[in-house]
Amino acid sequence: MIVLKGDTVRTSSGITGEVMDVWGIARTLLRLQTDAGIQYVFEDVVTEILKRPKRKSPRERR
């Protein structure tokens, strides 16, 4: 599953939070902002993407 910055995700352990940062080559790490603070998890423990922000059109980005 491809996870992008800004997504709201749920992990296999039940943690729900917004992805603040994504990095890594062989194993992708995510920094999640949760109610309890910042959590660091691997991308493979994400079970579902709850919300993904809409992409802006090229005209809105100017």
Side-chain angles (χ1 to χ4, degrees):
M1 179 180 317
I2 297 175
V3 180
L4 303 174
K5 186 176 179 181
D7 289 352
T8 302
V9 298
R10 179 177 293 134
T11 64
S12 58
S13 61
I15 298 171
T16 303
E18 181 181 350
V19 178
M20 303 303 291
D21 205 7
V22 178
W23 74 95
I25 297 172
R27 296 202 53 188
T28 307
L29 279 163
L30 308 172
R31 183 171 66 173
L32 295 180
Q33 179 66 47
T34 64
D35 294 335
I38 295 174
Q39 299 281 326
Y40 293 94
V41 297
F42 287 108
E43 185 180 37
D44 58 347
V45 299
V46 173
T47 56
E48 65 179 313
I49 297 173
L50 301 175
K51 189 172 85 172
R52 179 166 279 172
K54 296 224 177 218
R55 293 188 69 191
K56 293 182 179 179
S57 70
R59 289 184 180 166
E60 291 178 7
R61 286 188 238 158
R62 292 181 193 170

